[in-house]
Amino acid sequence: MITKVLVANRGEIACRILRACREAGIQTVAVCAPNDQGTLFTEMADELVVLDGDTIATTYLDQEQIIQAALSTGSDAIHPGFGFLSERAPFARSVKQSGIIWIGPSPEAIEQMGDKMTARQTMRNAGVPVIPGEEVESEDEHEALAALVEASERVGYPLLLKASSGGGGKGMRAVYDPSDFLQSAEGARREAVAAFGDGRIYIERLLNGSKHIEIQILADRHGRTVHLGERECSVQRRHQKVFEEAPGPTMTAELREAMGQAAIQAAQAVSYEGAGTVEFLLAPSGEFFFLEMNTRIQVEHPVTELVTGTDIVREQLRIASGQPMSCGDLNIRGHAIEVRLYAEDAANNFLPSIGPLAVFRPPEGPGIRLDAGVREGDEVTPNYDPMLAKLIVWAPSREEALQRMRRALDDFVILGTTTNVRFLRELCDAQPIVDGTTTTTTIDEHWPNGWTPTPAPLLEDASLLAAAAGETMGMHRTTTASLDGESQGLPSPFSTLNRRYP
Amino acid sequence: MITKVLVANRGEIACRILRACREAGIQTVAVCAPNDQGTLFTEMADELVVLDGDTIATTYLDQEQIIQAALSTGSDAIHPGFGFLSERAPFARSVKQSGIIWIGPSPEAIEQMGDKMTARQTMRNAGVPVIPGEEVESEDEHEALAALVEASERVGYPLLLKASSGGGGKGMRAVYDPSDFLQSAEGARREAVAAFGDGRIYIERLLNGSKHIEIQILADRHGRTVHLGERECSVQRRHQKVFEEAPGPTMTAELREAMGQAAIQAAQAVSYEGAGTVEFLLAPSGEFFFLEMNTRIQVEHPVTELVTGTDIVREQLRIASGQPMSCGDLNIRGHAIEVRLYAEDAANNFLPSIGPLAVFRPPEGPGIRLDAGVREGDEVTPNYDPMLAKLIVWAPSREEALQRMRRALDDFVILGTTTNVRFLRELCDAQPIVDGTTTTTTIDEHWPNGWTPTPAPLLEDASLLAAAAGETMGMHRTTTASLDGESQGLPSPFSTLNRRYP
Amino acid sequence: MMQHQFSSSDGPIEVTLTRTDSGYSLAGHTLESTGDGRLKIRLSNGRIAYAHVAKAGDVWWVHLAGQTYRWERIEPGSSSSQNEGGLVAPMPGKVLDVLVKTGQEVQAGTPLMVLEAMKMEHRIVAAKDGVVTAIHFEAGDQVTQGAVLLELDE
Amino acid sequence: MMQHQFSSSDGPIEVTLTRTDSGYSLAGHTLESTGDGRLKIRLSNGRIAYAHVAKAGDVWWVHLAGQTYRWERIEPGSSSSQNEGGLVAPMPGKVLDVLVKTGQEVQAGTPLMVLEAMKMEHRIVAAKDGVVTAIHFEAGDQVTQGAVLLELDE
């Protein structure tokens, strides 16, 4: 049995896991980098270990330090969340060797799936369809590029370059014309080396007009491997998912069963344990192809939880404890949509933004879930990923879920930092979203010249009135009482901002 | 089709309905008493009509004024919520006669079910079991009491006195000993006259050790009448529900089907349309008896929504528009619990309390829903019902739902007004709640001398430290900037309180 | 009359608020404070909307009916706005002294008025040569931020 | 040293806070401000908890680890606490003047000290006859609310 979990992550996923542990009666330990002290997740754990270091590499990626933190706090399990060390097989191995339960699949399964080439081979052997493509491996940049050019001719255009050990869009390039190939390949390789310390590049045929469909898997040690249906995550900007839903709007029961069985085969081929996701491309023809398997919990897991009535984090805890999973037969009900709230300027090519969350008021009401890692008063810094929160809605039908998402986004108030909330709101009105005909290129096609907000002159005028009145009324200034005679800030949305007067 | 709904209610249920309409793309009109101006629900509607009057009778119960508000705003439908005018057949009739859609059952159905005696007769004719009992009707108090004494001998002890046109525990008395009968009967009659202008009293056999089980019904004009399973609402203090759950922890599929069919018969017997609830007592023997039918949406509807995946308010709107309901076959999944958050002093016989909601921070996280009618900064006044909000959780199992509810209640911060939040939290640890063996007398049996909080000396000391430090640091004082030279309060949880210094 | 300048991509926007009984108005929209940090706006089309506002640095952030606007304020004391004619109060405060008279010729740098605010004295200084054409306040008056103190013609 | 009195069903509770580097301590618990209106408390058992506090009227409301406490404060200036020996500052402020000396005999009503706070002067007055046994501050000192200003023996 697990009695104390160390969560080796930060932000919203750390909050999600810490809450689940607390509800399960499991003690918790959070670890944080010094610059994360005082953020939301650090307050949710029973104990906090502040890691020693000032970069991600020396804190959240410092395997040794995190294992030491687990040992010194008497933690009997580590949950890695997603990103960071979640798919590092050597870390999983070290955790187990230290006598600590690893909440995730075996290091061998991570290795087999973590490497795109090995994963493809494993899948082909298991009878799961894969996209035409090949991998190029070479230490020497010049050799690697030459080999990539050769391979590109065999794979054919349009094609996609991907870092073999990549993820999150890093080291990824779409190439439509052979004349662009060399420059793109150089860029992809550079990013891959920088981000993952691994220059291997995988080339695959780009299946335009396809949907990104992924199947959630759960497998326990009692012989049960099940799928929890699909998520459609086609809507991406710069290869980053932004709008995810379940079930897939064009999915049929037959296709779900076929893809679900393929995903179960994929999991069983590597003796998978715990929660994982098998990603597929679904071509307009109805054929589907294995993309990769994510051997961890995924950002968009809430949509699956809401439509299947499961708690994937609780299942992870059960499975890692050696218990059978608790979920019953697949039972998909209603429709769930998740949007990712980023601190970014959607009108300016999605450039990340920073600033204070001077006001942060999420929407309220039935069927709304917010998985946030921040709260009002926090500062958005350039240190970490710009994802602030995930807003998820559930409703009996897709149409009602979209209506609810529109209402929720209209009600979401975030001031002090530029976010993509208005972009997400207008996305909900885009025809392919309304129709459910989204593909991985929907955003680029819908806004070929980039997104800019639809003007609303009446509201713009009224907002000037509000700004000018706020200034006139001095709504940004407050002077406060003293702590032992010293001037000291009091809680107010405004007092944490700045004071313009000397 | 409905295009504009007037919500003839206030507080959390008004918020619930207004949000549903907004998501459905329906315009909304709120009505409010002058002393409700500026409260949450009044801001959620597209239009607001401030009623003229300073009592409930001259505002929320003023049928003429509300119909006029609907006509003058061009509303084509009225949603009455619960309480107030929701079960007044003459109002429903006037609404329809004014050419406005009444979102509820026909006036005839309200009449047949609104009178407990008629309802019992109707149910008996429809083959639905009813509890032994009889009604006493007399204008003259002396005659009425004599008749009640006679009837009490036929019904037998213990027995329950109820106002025939009552609800909400008013005019209700349990009598265990014949020597207490006369005093109780006088009290019940007095309350019934005062609250409902109707002194008719109904006596029925008190079935101790029984569970209060109610079945949610939906019926449309397209020939479909369905039940959405049961809610167990046994846990009551002074005949007020406080803890409600679905499904019933001891329910079986067979019993659910039997009770569901009885409820459908009850609804069909009065040609019911819309959402309604048929209440039963479930005796330890497994026999169940009709109690009454509530011909409106109910406070505890969210637990049914969460386990069945329906949106009852949206279904009400559909049905009243003449559309078929959208919900499919009954599909109960997971477990939902609702607790009612009252402004009351649970340690002092549940006396209502008033004060500012200086801090009001609901819990966050997956599976938590809050249906609130208030927000931070509001003042709890003695003008209306002391229910502030309903906290509802869902989880895959009852055990996980209870765990989640405990966590949610621990995290719920309300300062400035005494609430029952700690009582609810300790209720979650009471053995009958943990075991699911609650009956209508659980609270009285579990806390025979009334509830007092379990002491926590360590936290008590630490809270004194916090209070003293707060005082020392002056956390309650803030001076603020000026509006045109006048001193003016700025938004701060503390500035709305008082300033002790001249 | 309260003037504020905000920058936009089309150049500076001058906003002149009109005081109403309970708040301010602009372009047919009227506004009042709700007392809880929001602003209640009656839009020119009759609809009511509630604005959340916050200032971070020089930027006013406004959330209104699902839209979020950023308005960077141009300081009234800065050269760009001081040349517009009216000299506006850089903060709310009290007029301590008026140092010039209507009709008086002043040179750039001439002190015109002394304002007390935030427990400090601030001198309002002419940014250019000109003639004082109007003085709207006298010593002892309270002024709002953005209030036009006096007017200067070239 | 900061003293406060709160009422409880068992009679008044006297709370004497100890100042620490970053906050206050009491009975093995230590506390510091988080800067967002909450108080971070390290309980004597080593656990960390975050308290929300608010004052309504004379009552401090404290939410801590799922418990809500109400503590009604007894005003330091009220007769019940002024007889306890120490005279405590009724609010944070600055000592303007000390009107007595150690050893001096005073009568009920004798002004002892002048405090400036909230832009007003407040005279600290002896509530009973006695002898000044200690004076803890001199003119110009800043004092916290609850700080013991001077001590009086009967």
Side-chain angles (χ1 to χ4, degrees), chain A residues 408-451:
Chain A
L409 287 166
D410 276 341
D411 283 356
F412 209 141
V413 183
I414 306 169
L415 303 181
T417 300
T418 302
T419 73
N420 64 340
V421 67
R422 188 68 206 165
F423 166 75
L424 295 170
R425 173 63 187 81
E426 295 195 5
L427 186 62
C428 291
D429 290 334
Q431 206 57 49
I433 294 277
V434 173
D435 297 341
T437 56
T438 45
T439 71
T440 53
T441 50
T442 288
I443 289 185
D444 292 339
E445 287 161 13
H446 195 74
W447 288 292
N449 303 314
W451 175 82

Side-chain angles (χ1 to χ4, degrees), chain B residues 53-384:
Chain B
D54 47 18
T55 63
I56 292 181
T58 56
T59 54
Y60 295 110
L61 292 179
D62 185 341
Q63 308 187 9
E64 186 56 35
Q65 214 186 153
I66 287 172
I67 290 173
Q68 274 310 317
L71 293 173
S72 70
T73 53
S75 304
D76 48 17
I78 289 182
H79 195 307
F82 48 66
F84 292 134
L85 297 171
S86 60
E87 293 179 291
R88 304 267 176 114
F91 181 61
R93 197 167 278 122
S94 303
V95 168
K96 285 170 171 254
Q97 282 164 357
S98 306
I100 300 167
I101 294 173
W102 168 250
I103 301 176
S106 69
E108 295 71 32
I110 298 176
E111 270 161 355
Q112 281 174 282
M113 286 301 182
D115 182 83
K116 286 191 174 36
M117 203 61 205
T118 314
R120 280 168 57 85
Q121 199 49 56
T122 309
M123 288 308 97
R124 233 193 302 258
N125 296 345
V128 176
V130 298
I131 306 179
E134 54 188 279
E135 190 185 57
V136 172
E137 183 171 4
S138 176
E139 288 291 319
D140 180 72
E141 185 179 357
H142 192 73
E143 271 178 37
L145 289 173
L148 279 167
V149 170
E150 271 180 46
S152 73
E153 283 157 14
R154 286 190 295 274
V155 170
Y157 283 84
L159 56 76
L160 198 60
L161 298 162
K162 286 174 167 181
S164 277
S165 52
K170 291 199 185 73
M172 197 178 273
R173 294 282 192 287
V175 189
Y176 292 85
D177 193 296
S179 67
D180 297 333
F181 183 79
L182 212 61
Q183 199 188 347
S184 298
E186 282 168 5
R189 198 173 175 284
R190 231 174 8 246
E191 273 182 32
V193 172
F196 313 108
D198 177 354
R200 283 176 303 153
I201 293 291
Y202 183 77
I203 303 190
E204 72 185 13
R205 184 69 175 275
L206 179 59
L207 292 168
N208 266 337
S210 297
K211 283 176 172 293
H212 177 112
I213 303 278
E214 58 190 33
I215 303 285
Q216 175 72 49
I217 284 292
L218 283 179
D220 64 20
R221 286 181 215 157
H222 297 260
R224 240 183 121 204
T225 300
V226 301
H227 74 86
L228 299 180
E230 78 285 359
R231 296 185 282 262
E232 172 163 355
C233 317
S234 302
V235 185
Q236 307 180 0
R237 53 124 190 88
R238 304 157 126 220
H239 304 292
Q240 275 277 17
K241 296 169 184 171
V242 64
F243 179 104
E244 295 128 332
E245 59 186 313
T250 58
M251 184 58 57
T252 62
E254 294 71 33
L255 187 56
R256 175 178 300 129
E257 194 46 28
M259 295 181 80
Q261 286 310 320
I264 288 175
Q265 279 168 47
Q268 287 175 334
V270 295
S271 305
Y272 200 82
E273 181 187 308
T277 298
V278 184
E279 298 193 331
F280 295 98
L281 266 192
L282 176 63
S285 63
E287 291 173 289
F288 58 90
F289 302 96
F290 172 82
L291 277 178
E292 64 182 53
M293 182 164 185
N294 294 313
T295 54
R296 50 164 168 84
I297 193 158
Q298 228 167 346
V299 178
E300 57 270 32
H301 74 276
V303 293
T304 297
E305 293 186 327
L306 291 177
V307 298
T308 61
T310 49
D311 185 330
I312 294 173
V313 175
R314 290 292 294 264
E315 296 290 14
Q316 286 186 300
L317 295 171
R318 269 188 206 98
I319 291 167
S321 299
Q323 297 175 295
M325 64 177 95
S326 80
C327 71
D329 292 338
L330 180 63
N331 179 355
I332 293 176
R333 202 170 69 184
H335 201 91
I337 299 173
E338 170 179 297
V339 294
R340 299 194 191 184
L341 187 72
Y342 288 103
E344 66 181 16
D345 189 353
N348 189 11
N349 205 22
F350 302 103
L351 229 63
S353 55
I354 58 168
L357 295 172
V359 176
F360 187 83
R361 304 278 164 90
E364 294 171 352
I368 294 177
R369 166 174 168 180
L370 186 79
D371 280 20
V374 297
R375 57 188 158 184
E376 192 163 290
D378 280 2
E379 190 80 22
V380 181
T381 67
N383 302 328
Y384 300 102

Side-chain angles (χ1 to χ4, degrees), chain B residues 45-59:
Chain B
D46 296 310
E47 291 168 67
L48 174 67
V49 176
V50 181
L51 299 168
D52 194 20
D54 47 18
T55 63
I56 292 181
T58 56
T59 54

Side-chain angles (χ1 to χ4, degrees), chain A residues 134-442:
Chain A
E134 53 187 279
E135 188 184 58
V136 171
E137 183 172 3
S138 176
E139 288 293 319
D140 180 71
E141 184 181 356
H142 191 73
E143 271 178 36
L145 290 173
L148 279 166
V149 170
E150 271 181 47
S152 73
E153 283 157 15
R154 285 190 295 272
V155 169
Y157 284 83
L159 56 77
L160 198 61
L161 298 162
K162 287 174 165 179
S164 278
S165 50
K170 290 197 186 75
M172 198 178 273
R173 292 283 191 290
V175 190
Y176 292 84
D177 192 296
S179 67
D180 297 333
F181 182 80
L182 213 59
Q183 201 188 346
S184 298
E186 282 168 5
R189 197 172 175 281
R190 233 174 6 247
E191 273 182 32
V193 172
F196 314 107
D198 176 355
R200 283 175 303 155
I201 293 290
Y202 183 75
I203 305 190
E204 71 185 16
R205 186 67 177 274
L206 179 59
L207 293 167
N208 267 336
S210 298
K211 283 178 172 291
H212 177 112
I213 302 278
E214 58 190 33
I215 302 284
Q216 175 72 49
I217 284 291
L218 283 178
D220 64 20
R221 287 181 214 156
H222 298 260
R224 234 179 127 207
T225 299
V226 301
H227 74 87
L228 299 181
E230 78 286 358
R231 296 186 282 262
E232 173 163 354
C233 317
S234 302
V235 185
Q236 307 180 0
R237 54 125 190 84
R238 303 155 127 222
H239 304 292
Q240 276 276 18
K241 297 168 184 171
V242 65
F243 180 105
E244 295 129 331
E245 61 186 312
T250 59
M251 184 59 58
T252 63
E254 295 69 35
L255 187 56
R256 175 178 299 128
E257 193 47 28
M259 294 182 79
Q261 286 310 321
I264 287 174
Q265 279 167 47
Q268 287 175 335
V270 295
S271 306
Y272 199 83
E273 182 187 308
T277 298
V278 184
E279 297 192 332
F280 296 98
L281 266 192
L282 176 63
S285 62
E287 292 173 289
F288 59 88
F289 303 96
F290 172 81
L291 276 179
E292 64 182 53
M293 180 165 187
N294 294 313
T295 54
R296 49 164 168 86
I297 193 157
Q298 227 166 347
V299 177
E300 57 270 32
H301 74 276
V303 293
T304 297
E305 293 186 326
L306 290 176
V307 297
T308 61
T310 49
D311 184 331
I312 293 173
V313 175
R314 290 292 293 263
E315 296 289 15
Q316 287 187 299
L317 295 170
R318 270 189 204 97
I319 291 168
S321 299
Q323 298 174 295
M325 64 178 94
S326 79
C327 71
D329 291 338
L330 181 63
N331 178 354
I332 294 176
R333 202 171 69 186
H335 202 91
I337 298 173
E338 170 179 297
V339 295
R340 299 194 192 184
L341 187 72
Y342 289 103
E344 66 181 16
D345 189 353
N348 190 10
N349 204 22
F350 302 102
L351 230 62
S353 56
I354 58 170
L357 295 172
V359 176
F360 186 84
R361 304 276 164 92
E364 294 171 354
I368 294 178
R369 166 173 167 180
L370 185 80
D371 281 19
V374 297
R375 58 187 158 186
E376 192 162 289
D378 281 2
E379 190 79 22
V380 180
T381 67
N383 302 328
Y384 300 103
D385 190 84
M387 191 175 83
L388 302 177
K390 304 170 326 200
L391 176 64
I392 312 112
V393 299
W394 179 93
S397 67
R398 186 172 190 273
E399 187 191 0
E400 288 163 292
L402 259 181
Q403 291 172 337
R404 181 160 287 168
M405 182 58 90
R406 289 189 192 104
R407 204 268 293 164
L409 287 166
D410 276 341
D411 283 356
F412 209 141
V413 183
I414 306 169
L415 303 181
T417 300
T418 302
T419 73
N420 64 340
V421 67
R422 188 68 206 165
F423 166 75
L424 295 170
R425 173 63 187 81
E426 295 195 5
L427 186 62
C428 291
D429 290 334
Q431 206 57 49
I433 294 277
V434 173
D435 297 341
T437 56
T438 45
T439 71
T440 53
T441 50
T442 288

